Structures are given as C-alpha cells and as structure tokens.
Amino acid sequence: AQSVTQLGSHVSVSEGALVLLRCNYSSSVPPYLFWYVQYPNQGLQLLLKYTSAATLVKGINGFEAEFKKSETSFHLTKPSAHMSDAAEYFCAVSGYSSASKIIFGSGTRLSIRP
Amino acid sequence: EAGVVQSPRYKIIEKKQPVAFWCNPISGHNTLYWYLQNLGQGPELLIRYENEEAVDDSQLPKDRFSAERLKGVDSTLKIQPAELGDSAVYLCASSTGRGQSAGELFFGEGSRLTVL
C-alpha cells in the first residue's frame, strides 16, 4: 500500500524567501514520486518527478526536490519565491508498474507575501 | 500539441438531475483517468482506462456513476441521479502509461459541478 502525507495545508513566505514544502511517503515497493502544481481554476501540472535515477531532481520554474529514502521524504524547495509561485502543490506517489495507482497528497497552498 | 480538453467547465444542477462530463485526451495517450477533487483536497481516482478497457474502477460509486471510453479515445463520465455531496471538480487526465512516463499525468482544467 502507498500513501503520501503533506505537512502543512498552508505555507506563507515572503517574496524572495526560501520555499520548503514537505512530503513524506509510505510505499511497500520502490516508489516513483511526483510534485504537481495547480494554479487557480486550472488542472494539475507536473513540476518534477523522481524515478530512481538521481536523488536530487530539478523541475520547472526553479523548483527542485530531494529523495531521501532513510527519511521517506521528498520535500520540494525553491531558493527564492516569486509572486507567480502562489498555487496549490500536490505530492504524489506510485509504484514502478504501469498498473500502479497514483496516490495524491491533500495538497499545500503556497501564499507569497509582497 | 493540444492538451486534455474537458467540458463543460462549470455545471449547476438540482439534486436528482443527471449530469455528464466529457473528456478528450492528448492524442496517442492510451491511459485515461477520471479524478474527483473536493475543495481543499487532492485528486482521488474514480476510474482508469487502458484504451477502451476500464482497468481500475474500484473507487467508482457504481450505483450512480458510470463512465465509458468508446473507441479508446474520448470519454464520458455520468452521474445519475446527482446528490448534494457530488459537488466537486471532476478532473480528467491522460498519460502514455508506459515505463517511467507512467505517472506523468496531463490534466484538463476540470469540470466544476455544483448540486443545489
């Protein structure tokens, strides 16, 4: 069985500050891990994914995430927040098999203060 | 390349009425998903298709929900009759469903349903 826990339903940072969105996963098989972003009134868009290659994954818009097996974590970071980063962010986990379900976390809403 | 197209974007109906949502996936994507997204929550899978076959419909409330994907391309999700608790956003997504791209989903903008 697989699950994802996102710590903090709402995170607020100042423009230019570090963004850190936390995600912990549980998986009985080696996981694929994903971060998706959802802007208001839009569908989800893939930010980045981990598929067992490099543990540090770089995505779009300056975001990156590090897979830490010992901590079962896949936290999302960005060195300097921009106003356009305000959105809902979802962490997701699946197994390697194409038949694996993709399980989404409950999301973290990121607000950026001017 | 056109993205995943969903319609309608918004639908308001009274309870006990039927409603249908339509989805056209990205060309060449064999895997199609319908997700339910309640306010402030992550998407929850309703049904997954591989071509025209529903390979995972375990979370679909079959007493009132139905879906079809004729010819393995576009898909329709129907609710009949709708209940107040069905108010949510219904998201359609597609993927190639193969290898490392299996979890790489492309989402439509969603259909927001309000049941009065």
Side-chain angles (χ1 to χ4, degrees), chain B residues 41-87:
Chain B
Q41 297 184 26
E44 300 172 30
L45 182 67
L46 288 172
I47 189 167
R48 176 167 68 98
Y49 283 93
E50 294 289 345
N51 299 302
E52 65 274 8
E53 181 183 1
V55 297
D56 185 354
D57 63 355
S58 57
Q59 301 303 310
L60 188 72
K62 298 181 183 63
D63 56 337
R64 296 184 301 106
F65 287 66
S66 64
E68 61 183 12
R69 191 184 184 197
L70 300 176
K71 301 181 182 179
V73 182
D74 55 354
S75 176
T76 302
L77 177 69
K78 297 178 180 178
I79 309 174
Q80 182 170 9
E83 297 180 351
L84 294 176
D86 296 332
S87 294

Side-chain angles (χ1 to χ4, degrees), chain A:
Chain A
Q2 296 173 310
S3 66
V4 168
T5 301
Q6 291 185 242
L7 300 176
S9 59
H10 183 209
V11 170
S12 179
V13 302
S14 298
E15 190 173 19
L18 172 71
V19 174
L20 171 60
L21 304 183
R22 299 178 187 273
C23 173
N24 288 89
Y25 71 92
S26 172
S27 179
S28 56
V29 297
Y32 283 0
L33 292 160
F34 309 84
W35 276 99
Y36 282 83
V37 60
Q38 185 176 32
Y39 298 102
N41 297 315
Q42 294 187 27
L44 282 72
Q45 175 185 0
L46 182 67
L47 262 184
L48 50 80
K49 64 178 180 180
Y50 165 76
T51 56
S52 77
T55 56
L56 182 62
V57 181
K58 295 187 183 298
I60 61 173
N61 300 337
F63 283 93
E64 62 182 37
E66 186 173 7
F67 172 69
K68 292 186 176 181
K69 184 178 180 180
S70 61
E71 299 177 8
T72 61
S73 69
F74 191 57
H75 301 331
L76 182 70
T77 60
K78 182 174 180 177
S80 177
H82 191 272
M83 295 299 292
S84 61
D85 294 328
E88 189 90 18
Y89 291 80
F90 295 94
C91 184
V93 63
S94 75
Y96 283 178
S97 166
S98 61
S100 297
K101 285 188 177 182
I102 301 162
I103 306 298
F104 286 86
S106 57
T108 297
R109 182 164 61 91
L110 177 63
S111 299
I112 311 297
R113 301 188 299 272

Side-chain angles (χ1 to χ4, degrees), chain B residues 6-8 10-11 19-23 34 75-79 88 90 111-113:
Chain B
Q6 290 188 247
S7 68
Y10 304 93
K11 188 73 176 180
V19 63
F21 305 112
W22 175 80
C23 172
W34 282 103
S75 176
T76 302
L77 177 69
K78 297 178 180 178
I79 309 174
Y90 293 84
S111 294
R112 181 179 296 276
L113 173 66

